[in-house]
Amino acid sequence: MKTLLLVALLGYLATALSAPAEKVKWCVKSDQEFQKCTDLVAKAPGFSCVKKENTIDCIVAIKAGEADAITLDGGDIYTAGLNNYDLHPIIAEDYGTSSDTCYYAVAVVKKGTGFGIRSLQGKKSCHTGLGKSAGWNIPIGTLLSMNLIQWTGIEDSPVEEAVKNYFQASCAPGAARGSKLCELCRGDCSRSHKEPYYDYAGAFQCLADDAGEVAFVKHLTVPDAEKSKYELLCKDDTRAPIDDYRNCHLAKVPAHAVVTRKDPQLAELIWTNLNSVQDFNLFSSEAYGPAKNLMFKDSTVKLVKLPPNTDSFLYLGAEYMSTVRSLKREQAPAATSTAIKWCAVGHAETAKCDMWSINSIDGDVTNIECQNAPTVDECLKKIMRKEADAIAVDGGQVFTAGKCGLVPAMVEQYDETRCGVSGAFASSYYAVAVVKKGSGVTWENLRGKRSCHTGIGRTAGWNIPMGHIHKITNDCDFTKFFSSGCAPGADPSSPFCTQCAGSGKAVGDESKCKASADEQYYGYAGAFRCLVEGAGDVAFIKHTIVEENSNGNGPSWASNVNSADYELICPNKSPVPINEYVSCHLAVVPAHAVVTRPESRAEVARILQDQQAKFGPSGSDNTFRLFQSESGKNLLFKDSTKCLQEVPAGSSYEQFLGAEYINAMTSLRQCSANTPDLEKSCTFHSCQQKN
């Protein structure tokens, strides 16, 4: 019987192992694209082809599971990311040294035609397609922002009406057939290769054929042999040669990207199958002329995998998303609420925020509304999307928020004497390295020692010291530097968990190395305790911790601790007494700060000033206390906050955090494992930031 079962099992395994991997169903939109896809399948059987009429039909098919993937431009990535489709980008095209994973949206004209961008009214225009990035969203958004196209808004008419009235005639594939926006088209004006003037090559052909006088395309569209006959229109109303696109463009926008459903296994399958393609050029449409850019752009040099959890908003960036939204006819008018939407993390914070919101009502006006999310990073995403406005975060999170385009508006002040003092120094603390006096441990001989950390990713306990160490070693594997230690939040099998104490249970202790108070060596006091109890040779903490847990201060474990038995170490210096942290520290770290979008900074600061006048420690209203936590600790703000002080207008996150902190973080961020997914998405390519 056992033999039969074994044979059956082996047979099943053989069948399972020999079964072909699931195919990736690629969505195509024309006969030429279908032919290229079919030829690909002959070389790479991991693919199959699904033909649809147009882009939106492909998006719907992918959502429904009838297809798996398609490469889209930014405008279509926006559409695919809307709630009703919920697709997300997973792989970007890379165009090489000219722009990497971005491209330049440009306006091309024939040389000698004598007009600038401010004289486009009444001209004939060629567009790659309605709703596409370089061909529609960017040029129309640019002309609107320059007040060249007059449009009163979507309440009165769709933007297409304003464009019709501005240009004499156009070819904008995807527009209503029979309208002025289709007048110059040669085919059916569809957003597919059935229309000869569709896409980059088509829009350029529309200009070359003298059907139109300006073509809105990307910077790599004009063939090398033709460049001498054409010029670019610059935003300052001048012209420039075709190859001067870096200085003369309408915008730098994210590259086309492969989109699919939110399924990590499917995303990995698509990436693996694309990388395994051999004897077939994915980035050439030469065999299928005159069509170009089939399946991928012909100018693509390689494909680049996007960071995990990158959605359409993070990929496209706030500036581009704002441009697209401003043109969308379905976009609802902005809400008239003047309240700031505070983002709370978890149930306890949400409950406190709800109490704040109720108490913030003044007459008929609510000053605070509450949003919530499971993590700080999810809150930061909500603020970027304008679904929330503000949150108070620590230095490391200010760094991530800054990389995502947010700015510090207010900073917590823990020294009451500085509240109300104009221009007073913001609260800050010193990140220090503490050792036992006489141990012989110095900064220069730290290698091979045991280390005590407040927690993985924490400012004083990890980011600052490990940033310094990375600058010395240039090695991201810190287990090669320290022999062992306790860094709560590390992988349980890591040497950085071997010295952790857990909850104190003898066996089966699930709390060991957890990033929570259940681990006795977690947090500032816990890391110092790790040093005191001999589990480590150095503790990375903030400057006040030794005094707070010695000389009769602190919990029972600290009862016999004498601060004079400890000293500070720092680079290029001999050990110094604990109280000399000003001359011997690893970084000065600013207090927690309220972050928001740049355009909301002044309003967030104004409302918070008003709220703390009512609900701060010396506030006029005792019904609610902004800096006290009833059912937890440090909810919304640190409980030790005495007041909030405005960060000077125009201050960047780099200026706020300070050079020492930025240097340490910049070095640490060379280690991918130390960079949050959100930050990776925000910094994936240069075009997410403002030009």
Side-chain angles (χ1 to χ4, degrees), residues 92-412:
E93 294 182 344
D94 187 313
Y95 308 118
T97 52
S98 72
S99 58
D100 299 317
T101 56
C102 307
Y103 61 89
Y104 296 90
V106 295
V108 178
V109 291
K110 285 195 169 174
K111 198 176 272 188
T113 44
F115 56 87
I117 197 167
R118 293 190 171 276
S119 313
L120 283 179
Q121 187 163 8
K123 300 290 188 287
K124 293 179 287 185
S125 60
C126 306
H127 307 262
T128 59
L130 196 70
K132 283 186 164 280
S133 295
W136 185 266
N137 293 341
I138 295 302
I140 303 308
T142 301
L143 294 172
L144 283 168
S145 67
M146 293 173 73
N147 293 316
L148 298 174
I149 295 181
Q150 301 306 311
W151 183 43
T152 51
I154 44 176
E155 303 86 59
D156 297 330
S157 64
V159 73
E160 291 92 317
E161 288 298 318
V163 178
K164 281 183 210 170
N165 295 333
Y166 183 75
F167 291 115
Q168 180 187 327
S170 307
C171 177
R177 290 172 197 180
S179 77
K180 273 177 72 179
L181 291 178
C182 285
E183 196 174 308
L184 302 181
C185 293
R186 258 178 49 196
D188 62 0
C189 195
S190 67
R191 262 185 44 147
S192 76
H193 291 101
K194 291 179 188 170
E195 168 51 62
Y197 289 165
Y198 168 68
D199 207 7
Y200 300 115
F204 175 67
Q205 197 59 49
C206 164
L207 174 66
D209 291 347
D210 286 322
E213 297 163 277
V214 60
F216 299 110
V217 290
K218 68 184 264 189
H219 69 289
L220 297 169
T221 302
V222 181
D224 287 344
E226 303 282 305
K227 285 179 178 176
S228 61
K229 303 177 195 170
Y230 295 90
E231 290 178 310
L232 301 176
L233 297 185
C234 312
K235 286 198 277 191
D236 64 0
D237 213 30
T238 62
R239 289 185 172 205
I242 292 296
D243 284 331
D244 198 20
Y245 53 80
R246 281 191 177 86
N247 300 312
C248 177
H249 56 264
L250 306 183
K252 194 176 180 186
V253 294
H256 292 213
V258 177
V259 303
T260 188
R261 297 179 295 285
K262 289 185 178 175
D263 177 346
Q265 287 177 302
L266 177 58
E268 194 57 40
L269 179 70
I270 293 167
W271 173 249
T272 303
N273 284 10
L274 284 170
N275 272 319
S276 64
V277 172
Q278 293 180 338
D279 303 323
F280 186 86
N281 189 347
L282 287 169
F283 315 133
S284 172
S285 307
E286 204 173 338
Y288 313 96
K292 292 185 177 178
N293 304 317
L294 303 176
M295 297 181 67
F296 297 93
K297 294 289 147 281
D298 296 342
S299 52
T300 306
V301 173
K302 63 180 179 181
L303 298 175
V304 183
K305 195 176 191 178
L306 299 187
N309 304 314
T310 302
D311 59 18
S312 56
F313 185 98
L314 292 173
Y315 181 71
L316 295 171
E319 197 174 13
Y320 181 81
M321 289 294 282
S322 177
T323 302
V324 179
R325 284 173 170 166
S326 70
L327 303 179
K328 289 290 172 185
R329 67 176 75 185
E330 73 271 14
Q331 183 71 5
T336 53
S337 169
T338 56
I340 59 172
K341 296 189 286 290
W342 199 267
C343 196
V345 178
H347 298 299
E349 281 206 347
T350 302
K352 180 177 176 181
C353 188
D354 288 340
M355 286 299 296
W356 184 14
S357 178
I358 292 164
N359 282 280
S360 77
I361 296 171
D362 187 359
D364 294 332
V365 178
T366 302
N367 287 295
I368 302 294
E369 293 174 2
C370 299
Q371 290 281 323
N372 64 74
T375 65
V376 169
D377 280 4
E378 289 299 320
C379 271
L380 296 179
K381 286 184 191 178
K382 285 197 167 191
I383 296 168
M384 292 159 65
R385 292 190 178 98
K386 302 186 181 179
E387 294 167 11
D389 296 317
I391 184 176
V393 294
D394 88 345
Q397 292 154 337
V398 170
F399 186 87
T400 296
K403 289 289 188 182
C404 291
L406 304 181
V407 295
M410 302 284 280
V411 59
E412 294 178 350

Side-chain angles (χ1 to χ4, degrees), residues 473-496:
T473 64
N474 224 15
D475 190 338
C476 292
D477 184 358
F478 297 117
T479 63
K480 292 179 187 170
F481 189 86
F482 290 113
S483 59
S484 64
C486 180
D491 186 288
S493 63
S494 161
F496 283 115

Side-chain angles (χ1 to χ4, degrees), residues 408-485:
M410 302 284 280
V411 59
E412 294 178 350
Q413 175 60 266
Y414 312 123
D415 181 346
E416 201 163 357
T417 62
R418 291 181 177 176
C419 288
V421 180
S422 180
F425 287 108
S427 284
S428 58
Y429 62 87
Y430 294 86
V432 295
V434 180
V435 298
K436 287 183 177 175
K437 194 169 189 177
S439 64
V441 177
T442 67
W443 186 264
E444 280 63 39
N445 68 15
L446 264 186
R447 191 186 290 270
K449 302 294 189 290
R450 300 166 302 153
S451 55
C452 302
H453 306 263
T454 59
I456 294 283
R458 296 276 297 263
T459 299
W462 187 268
N463 293 347
I464 295 299
M466 296 322 220
H468 276 285
I469 288 164
H470 180 262
K471 267 191 278 190
I472 298 166
T473 64
N474 224 15
D475 190 338
C476 292
D477 184 358
F478 297 117
T479 63
K480 292 179 187 170
F481 189 86
F482 290 113
S483 59
S484 64

